[in-house]
Amino acid sequence: MNSVSQSIDRVDGKLKVTGQARYSGDHSLPNLCYGYLLQSSIAKGNIQSMDVSAAQHSPGVVAIFTPFNPLKIYSPAQAGEEGAISGDVIPLLQDPAVDYFGQTIGFVVAESFEEARDAARLVKTEYQTQPAIVELQSGLGQAYAPKSVSGMGATVSVLADGVTSIDEALRGAEVLVSATYNSPIEHHNPMEPHATTAIWNGDRLTIYDATQWVQGQQRNLAAVLGIDEANVRVLCPFVGGGFGCKGSMWMHSPLTAAAARVLNRPVKTVLTREQMYTAVGHRPTVRQTVTLGATKQGELTAVKHEAYSSSSRVKFFAEAAAHRTSLALYKSPNIVVTHEIVPLDFAPGTFMRAPGVAPGMFALESAMDELSVKLGVDPVELRLRNYATAEPVHKLPWSSKHLDECYRLGADKFGWSQRRPEPKSTREGDWLVGHGVATALYPAHRSHAEAKIRFQSDGNVSVSAATHDLGTGMYTVLAIVASEALGIPVQRIRPVLGDSGLTLAPVAGGSQSTASVSPAVVAAVDSATKKLISVAVSGAKSPFSGMKPSDVSYANGVLQGGGKAVPFEAVLAALDRSAVEGSGTASPGEEEHQYSFLSFGAQFCEVRVNEWTGEARVTRFTSVMDVGTVVNQKTARSQVIGGIVFGIGMGLLEATKVDPNNGWIANRNLAEYLVPTNADIPHIDVEFLNIPDTKFNSLGVRGIGEIGIAGVPAAIANAIFNATGTRVRDLPITPESLLVEQKGMA
Amino acid sequence: MKAFSYTLAVSTEEATNAGTQSDNNAGGTNLVDLMKIDVMDPKELVDINQLPMRGVTLDDGVLRIGALEKMASVAEQPEVVQHFPVISQALLKSASAQLRNMASIGGNLMQRTRCGYFRDVVMPCNKRVPGSGCPAFAGENRMHAILGVGDACCATHPSDLAVALVALDASVNLQGPKGTRSIKLDDFYLLPEDTPDREHAIEPGELITGVTVPQTNWYQRSAYLKIRDRESYEFALCSAAVALDVDGLKIRDARIAAGGVGTRPWRLPEVAQALIGKRVSQETFEHAVEIATKGARPLSQNGFKVTLLKRTLTRALVHVGGGVA
């Protein structure tokens, strides 16, 4: 059965397009009531009073919880500490302090969503306001080096023998480029808003929750609600996009569960789009300075990458832009990365698609383009001259790296050789045309996972694990991997996921689900077939009764032995058994210490910039990816295309706009927080090398969830430079940056 | 959303005699949106969709558009496409296909600003709560106006259609308790000055019943250019509605207006005047548009609109003027 690396339709596609897939907000239950978050309208201070009298008399109101009438929530913890891990660290509603604009300060429950919303607006809150620092620029004076950034120190230094500092190495460089790059706060904006429906049955909680991690949510909810983990079941069979903002527990979930417990009724809370801008995380704003020293031939001799990222004063989060990029991409005898945190009176940040990597690659790959211009060396050639054959810090060899092939194949497919290096040398009518390239990379992660395989008497086989499908295609991946290992068609596989009661699987984050769960599925197939054989030889009515297990074999859905070949469902029927199941586990092992694991890609784009009015539009995109085995060409391509669209948004459109005076967010909706429309997206050509990384796992699979975005903003900025001669170092790149010269004056 | 009564008007008189606490609803794409976020709270909502304010006709040199016509259908009318391309293009570059299918012409002309402070009741806003202040001057104002900015308000008027219509000297027909009247659309929109809450020269009870646009043959040579951050479903950073009457290479007449830069749709008669009698050339256009930004008051984040307005106008004029080397 050749199921892997084919192009297979989503097995859950029909459920989705016919509206039968039920998301976390789709559950209606008898006696259900609705929760609504009330959020602060100041950035810092204290709540002096909350007058809820009018709200309490508003139609349909069931209860109003505030810091003066709280729901009990225990404290979560910072990463690395004992206790639940949460996107929020302060347990909301427990005290009257306000630490950021849009902080949840009340929870209104009513018979309908609309009644809860109306009542929330009737609550009169009086604040004592304190000055707030809400902009990176204003907070730089308070910047500090954190204890840890992406599992490393705040400063990581690789210096050649005899070199005492990176600045010394830079001073000795023949050619130097140095520039500062800025990226704004960005929001995930998954199409599905966060939604939670909590149902208590005695002391047992069943919760339908939009999450990228059902088992993490189970653990964290139990901790902050003060109940036993075994009494919490989290269900999330479908997720309408996560991009990281559903990877942590956010306080609306325990508040909903706590209210349902107190009220003894099921409660459903669906966040509004506006609430999602402060209640469920964002990508921090980052300022980076990249300084590259090189020889005249373009060999890097020193790389210095300094990053400052914003973090909520009440929840530490580091957007590890320098650590996750400059320590991994280029060969250089001297590399130093530093990171400082700029604490702001702003909502908590969190992981957002390619955390650290997306802004970091914008800076590093823009700087490489600046170096290529200064040296007069082709940008692809410059990258090949600095190709790292081993991971630059610990010098571990790569498990599998074919980035050079990505550059060459991508250049060929894109037609890179036709590019004119001189800016403003290609125009079509009013439009200046430019071509740019950037590298994409993302670490390959893998965690321990367990899966279960169940041979069913109806002739189907179920495959299950507590993993997730965020729209990524994980249902189909499970079906394909099981199909391949079992030798039976995908149509006969029944994948099950999104339930905390299933076997252990990691968070759907860090691009690790397929690499973690697939090997466990293969192990489970092995275990289940052994079990099937054992049952077949021991049952009296079995066609294989009495044979030695070693004389019976399984292949392609059929048991064979003693001259007989019987489909497993017939064996089960003969035994009068509904099913036989087995589970298997898979973990990373010794290879973790022997190799470095990274996915790579080369991303090329064509951008047109109107020379009168400065709009930049991407008109062509080619991306060649080295991500190991591609389990499903179709959903993998979709995911990389989605990443590239995400990157086009980051490059040209996306920015959360914060009023510097009060922390108010100006564009908390999808009309004013701009993401690309179809009209902004050209044909996107995605090609996979599809070279298995079998040192990483038996299937050779690495992740693809995040890498698609990684090189896109830099590729666009570099293409814009090639088109216009203007280097834009601040994202997003909007027309005002490109109005520099009058048309016709060139 | 506050409680309100809902009435289906079966006659125009009924709609115009509704109380001062009432508002008229056609497509509902703007008013209902604003009601949901508590920015507007009429006590009575009068559904006017049954009223006979429909039809698009071109007779005796006048284009008449019923106020209840949908944006999408007007954009596709052959008379509009052929004789008034600037109107068709302005409509097609507005909003999204779904919104254009619902939104009416009258409602489009009455739509409220997208200023985020106006749209969020937790913030002060002189337009929403007169005298409460305007945080936009020192806050988020990239999308805001540079022209017609008073001390009280710097919000832009969001309509693309209105820009095309003021360029072509269109009028709105109003019906109210005291009868019917017609005024130039350019006089219909008020500068914010000290009363930014009062946006239109409309009297209590008055209803837009339609729009009339005088036809001249050379309006066929017109276009709407909209500059925006993204290619669709986005308000203008700057837009230009231009029509040129060109005889050979000589400009006989012109109509010009701009959007995305003014506190109201911004007619530019001085630019038009500066073009008359001149020869079609990029230099002519660049020279003429210099006056467009007279009186501009750029804010902390939108100074680029001074340049962008001139570039947008020039680009549109080159496009419409044609024949420019």
Side-chain angles (χ1 to χ4, degrees):
Chain A
M1 191 65 47
N2 286 319
S3 299
V4 168
S5 289
Q6 304 299 305
S7 193
I8 291 176
D9 291 349
R10 286 171 195 272
V11 296
D12 52 336
K14 188 174 175 187
L15 288 178
K16 285 182 171 168
V17 298
T18 56
Q20 294 174 79
R22 291 173 82 191
Y23 290 79
S24 299
D26 291 340
H27 295 273
S28 291
L29 299 149
N31 208 27
L32 181 67
C33 50
Y34 295 80
Y36 188 88
L37 302 181
L38 176 61
Q39 297 183 324
S40 70
S41 60
I42 66 160
K44 187 151 188 65
N46 277 287
I47 301 170
Q48 290 189 309
S49 66
M50 292 177 80
D51 179 357
V52 297
S53 50
Q56 242 150 4
H57 293 103
S58 185
V61 168
V62 174
I64 300 172
F65 302 99
T66 69
F68 308 102
N69 174 35
L71 288 158
K72 180 60 192 168
I73 305 284
Y74 291 92
S75 287
Q78 294 269 18
E81 292 177 13
E82 187 186 340
I85 305 302
S86 163
D88 300 298
V89 167
I90 44 165
L92 299 172
L93 301 197
Q94 306 303 299
D95 75 56
V98 174
D99 296 297
Y100 54 90
F101 174 86
Q103 176 183 320
T104 296
I105 57 167
F107 189 71
V108 180
V109 184
E111 299 293 343
S112 71
F113 169 82
E114 290 77 10
E115 286 169 325
R117 181 181 63 184
D118 282 359
R121 291 196 178 134
L122 295 173
V123 175
K124 298 265 181 297
T125 305
E126 298 291 334
Y127 301 96
Q128 173 262 318
T129 307
Q130 293 162 10
I133 296 176
V134 296
E135 270 192 319
L136 192 85
Q137 180 66 36
S138 327
L140 281 173
Q142 296 181 9
Y144 67 93
K147 283 181 205 150
S148 156
V149 176
S150 196
M152 295 172 258
T155 296
V156 177
S157 186
V158 178
L159 295 175
D161 288 347
V163 176
T164 57
S165 77
I166 191 70
D167 291 334
E168 178 195 323
L170 286 166
R171 274 194 300 274
E174 293 172 2
V175 181
L176 206 60
V177 293
S178 183
T180 297
Y181 305 84
N182 292 292
S183 55
I185 287 172
E186 294 154 2
H187 275 83
H188 313 70
N189 278 309
M191 201 181 304
E192 178 206 24
H194 291 62
T196 297
T197 308
I199 307 133
W200 290 86
N201 187 354
D203 59 359
R204 294 184 61 84
L205 171 66
T206 302
I207 188 161
Y208 298 94
D209 214 355
T211 177
Q212 295 172 225
W213 195 13
V214 284
Q215 291 175 332
Q217 195 80 340
Q218 173 191 25
R219 208 151 46 240
N220 294 332
L221 281 167
V224 300
L225 292 169
I227 59 173
D228 196 302
E229 267 182 44
N231 284 341
V232 181
R233 185 177 181 196
V234 179
L235 292 164
C236 185
F238 297 100
V239 188
F243 313 120
C245 67
K246 292 171 182 164
S248 309
M249 179 182 67
W250 300 96
M251 279 296 154
H252 65 276
S253 294
L255 286 174
T256 302
R261 179 165 57 177
V262 169
L263 298 170
N264 198 25
R265 291 179 66 173
V267 178
K268 170 154 80 179
T269 304
V270 180
L271 266 56
T272 65
R273 182 63 58 185
E274 188 176 65
Q275 290 167 349
M276 288 170 66
Y277 281 78
T278 51
V280 295
H282 60 265
R283 190 198 300 278
T285 174
V286 193
R287 170 169 303 183
Q288 302 170 71
T289 300
V290 178
T291 308
L292 303 177
T295 64
K296 285 175 186 161
Q297 288 71 43
E299 285 171 1
L300 289 170
T301 54
V303 175
K304 184 182 185 185
H305 192 160
E306 303 158 282
Y308 293 83
S309 71
S310 65
S311 173
S312 175
R313 221 180 277 281
V314 293
K315 167 73 186 181
F316 173 78
F317 182 80
E319 181 76 16
H323 286 58
R324 303 195 81 194
T325 55
S326 284
L327 296 179
L329 185 50
Y330 294 114
K331 177 178 66 179
S332 169
N334 303 290
I335 306 174
V336 168
V337 298
T338 65
H339 194 109
E340 291 197 42
I341 295 291
V342 181
L344 298 182
D345 300 301
F346 199 78
T350 194
F351 314 97
M352 180 163 156
R353 203 171 198 175
V357 172
M361 291 297 277
F362 166 63
L364 177 59
E365 287 295 86
S366 290
M368 282 297 278
D369 202 67
E370 301 202 38
L371 181 62
S372 82
V373 170
K374 191 156 185 177
L375 291 164
V377 174
D378 177 81
V380 172
E381 174 57 28
L382 181 66
R383 284 163 173 80
L384 288 168
R385 284 184 196 175
N386 291 285
Y387 197 75
T389 50
E391 183 263 332
V393 181
H394 304 100
K395 315 288 192 264
L396 283 176
W398 304 106
S399 58
S400 171
K401 179 178 181 179
H402 306 277
L403 175 58
D404 48 354
E405 178 61 14
C406 294
Y407 291 132
R408 291 188 191 106
L409 182 59
D412 188 42
K413 287 171 72 76
F414 185 79
W416 185 255
S417 61
Q418 306 298 308
R419 173 182 184 264
R420 297 184 193 169
E422 185 64 26
K424 289 198 273 193
S425 55
T426 307
R427 62 181 78 214
E428 281 181 24
D430 290 345
W431 297 84
L432 295 165
V433 183
H435 296 156
V437 64
T439 314
L441 62 74
Y442 199 74
H445 296 298
R446 186 184 168 198
S447 299
H448 176 72
E450 181 175 358
K452 189 184 276 186
I453 287 282
R454 183 176 166 91
F455 289 101
Q456 300 175 173
S457 57
D458 63 2
N460 297 318
V461 180
S462 82
V463 52
S464 62
T467 186
H468 316 80
D469 193 322
L470 317 184
T472 47
M474 195 63 196
Y475 276 110
T476 315
V477 162
L478 288 180
I480 288 169
V481 173
S483 162
E484 177 98 4
L486 288 160
I488 65 174
V490 165
Q491 292 73 22
R492 286 172 61 194
I493 311 293
R494 299 285 176 270
V496 182
L497 50 72
D499 179 343
S500 62
L502 297 171
T503 54
L504 182 72
V507 57
S511 298
Q512 66 172 330
S513 288
T514 299
S516 303
V517 179
S518 300
V521 171
V522 173
V525 166
D526 187 50
S527 152
T529 51
K530 284 198 175 89
K531 183 84 172 291
L532 183 66
I533 290 167
S534 145
V535 166
V537 297
S538 56
K541 293 179 183 169
S542 164
F544 304 98
S545 185
M547 292 185 197
K548 282 194 286 186
S550 57
D551 292 337
V552 181
S553 63
Y554 168 92
N556 303 329
V558 175
L559 287 181
Q560 288 182 300
K564 287 185 245 183
V566 186
F568 72 82
E569 61 270 30
V571 176
L572 291 174
L575 290 164
D576 196 28
R577 282 189 69 141
S578 64
V580 165
E581 65 184 33
S583 57
T585 63
S587 309
E590 271 305 297
E591 75 279 2
E592 295 273 307
H593 307 291
Q594 296 162 350
Y595 301 100
S596 287
F597 304 97
L598 213 62
S599 281
F600 303 93
Q603 303 190 299
F604 297 79
C605 80
E606 177 182 273
V607 173
R608 278 156 208 247
V609 180
N610 189 278
E611 56 181 336
W612 292 102
T613 45
E615 317 99 286
R617 300 288 188 254
V618 178
T619 48
R620 268 197 307 137
F621 207 101
T622 298
S623 195
V624 178
M625 314 305 285
D626 172 26
V627 294
T629 301
V630 173
V631 175
N632 185 2
Q633 291 278 350
K634 186 168 187 174
T635 51
R637 174 169 285 107
S638 291
Q639 218 176 356
V640 172
I641 288 173
I644 291 166
V645 172
F646 218 92
I648 292 173
M650 184 174 176
L652 298 176
L653 299 169
E654 295 190 41
T656 300
K657 296 178 178 169
V658 181
D659 187 321
N661 303 305
N662 46 43
W664 174 79
I665 300 176
N667 55 343
R668 286 172 291 157
N669 60 66
L670 289 176
E672 268 108 11
Y673 183 96
L674 303 185
V675 296
T677 64
N678 282 321
D680 296 290
I681 302 301
H683 173 71
I684 294 172
D685 177 23
V686 175
E687 174 117 357
F688 296 103
L689 297 187
N690 202 15
I691 300 169
D693 184 353
T694 49
K695 294 193 176 82
F696 189 43
N697 56 59
S698 57
L699 280 93
V701 175
R702 293 195 300 253
I704 51 169
E706 298 168 270
I707 191 170
I709 183 177
V712 181
I716 291 172
N718 297 342
I720 286 174
F721 178 82
N722 181 238
T724 64
T726 302
R727 177 68 61 184
V728 185
R729 302 186 182 94
D730 295 348
L731 294 180
I733 303 173
T734 48
E736 54 262 52
S737 312
L738 300 168
L739 291 172
V740 204
E741 279 180 49
Q742 185 67 41
K743 148 110 174 168
M745 293 174 73
Chain B
M1 185 181 271
K2 307 235 169 77
F4 61 93
S5 70
Y6 185 81
T7 315
L8 185 66
V10 293
S11 72
T12 309
E13 289 68 29
E14 198 179 340
T16 57
N17 285 322
T20 51
Q21 306 265 297
S22 82
D23 229 319
N24 299 311
N25 187 48
T29 56
N30 189 222
L31 177 58
V32 175
D33 178 30
L34 291 169
M35 287 170 71
K36 282 188 191 168
I37 57 175
D38 281 355
V39 170
M40 292 180 78
D41 57 346
K43 301 285 176 291
E44 182 183 11
L45 199 60
V46 181
D47 184 327
I48 58 171
N49 285 296
Q50 302 299 312
L51 303 184
M53 306 184 308
R54 297 197 183 264
V56 180
T57 59
L58 179 57
D59 290 317
D60 305 327
V62 179
L63 177 70
R64 292 182 174 81
I65 304 172
L68 284 171
E69 284 293 326
K70 300 298 187 190
M71 292 170 73
S73 68
V74 175
E76 289 159 12
Q77 289 290 327
E79 298 88 342
V80 177
V81 174
Q82 187 184 343
H83 298 287
F84 305 89
V86 63
I87 295 176
S88 176
Q89 290 168 18
L91 285 165
L92 289 174
K93 288 175 181 172
S94 303
S96 65
Q98 293 90 333
L99 287 165
R100 294 194 296 270
N101 284 336
M102 286 300 292
S104 71
I105 295 298
N108 180 280
L109 298 180
M110 291 295 289
Q111 72 181 299
R112 310 300 301 275
T113 183
R114 286 299 301 195
C115 172
Y117 298 98
F118 171 75
R119 289 176 56 86
D120 190 340
V121 295
V122 306
M123 298 307 285
C125 170
N126 287 328
K127 193 182 275 298
R128 181 165 35 75
V129 182
S132 60
C134 175
F137 282 98
E140 277 301 316
N141 55 39
R142 174 175 180 263
M143 297 296 289
H144 285 64
I146 55 170
L147 293 165
V149 176
D151 289 335
C153 183
C154 52
T156 50
H157 193 276
S159 170
D160 294 299
L161 172 66
V163 176
L165 291 177
V166 298
L168 303 190
D169 297 321
S171 299
V172 277
N173 306 319
L174 301 166
Q175 184 170 343
K178 297 179 199 157
T180 60
R181 64 183 178 122
S182 175
I183 63 169
K184 283 278 169 63
L185 191 59
D186 193 46
D187 297 326
F188 181 74
Y189 291 113
L190 307 176
L191 284 171
E193 303 191 64
D194 298 328
T195 54
D197 51 312
R198 189 168 147 72
E199 295 176 354
H200 316 102
I202 198 164
E203 299 296 331
E206 275 190 324
L207 183 64
I208 298 177
T209 57
V211 175
T212 56
V213 191
Q215 184 197 13
T216 46
N217 281 335
W218 55 271
Y219 283 177
Q220 291 185 33
R221 195 168 191 164
S222 66
Y224 189 75
L225 176 65
K226 183 174 181 178
I227 308 306
R228 43 186 165 175
D229 287 319
R230 70 178 167 191
E231 193 61 34
S232 176
Y233 186 46
E234 167 65 335
F235 294 92
L237 281 174
C238 183
S239 68
V242 302
L244 282 182
D245 180 10
V246 180
D247 178 16
L249 279 176
K250 196 173 155 206
I251 300 166
R252 281 197 299 217
D253 205 351
R255 299 282 183 275
I256 298 171
V261 289
T263 51
R264 60 186 200 124
W266 206 258
R267 207 165 154 266
L268 290 162
E270 290 153 307
V271 176
Q273 199 58 43
L275 291 170
I276 292 171
K278 303 279 168 29
R279 195 182 149 84
V280 170
S281 75
Q282 184 176 320
E283 290 67 35
T284 297
F285 297 142
E286 283 174 345
H287 182 72
V289 302
E290 280 299 317
I291 202 166
T293 54
K294 188 183 71 176
R297 181 176 166 190
L299 308 171
S300 55
Q301 298 175 342
N302 72 357
F304 70 96
K305 286 190 175 184
V306 173
T307 302
L308 184 60
L309 171 57
K310 291 185 231 174
R311 301 273 186 94
T312 305
L313 290 166
T314 307
R315 183 177 156 193
L317 286 164
V318 167
H319 173 68
V320 171
V324 175

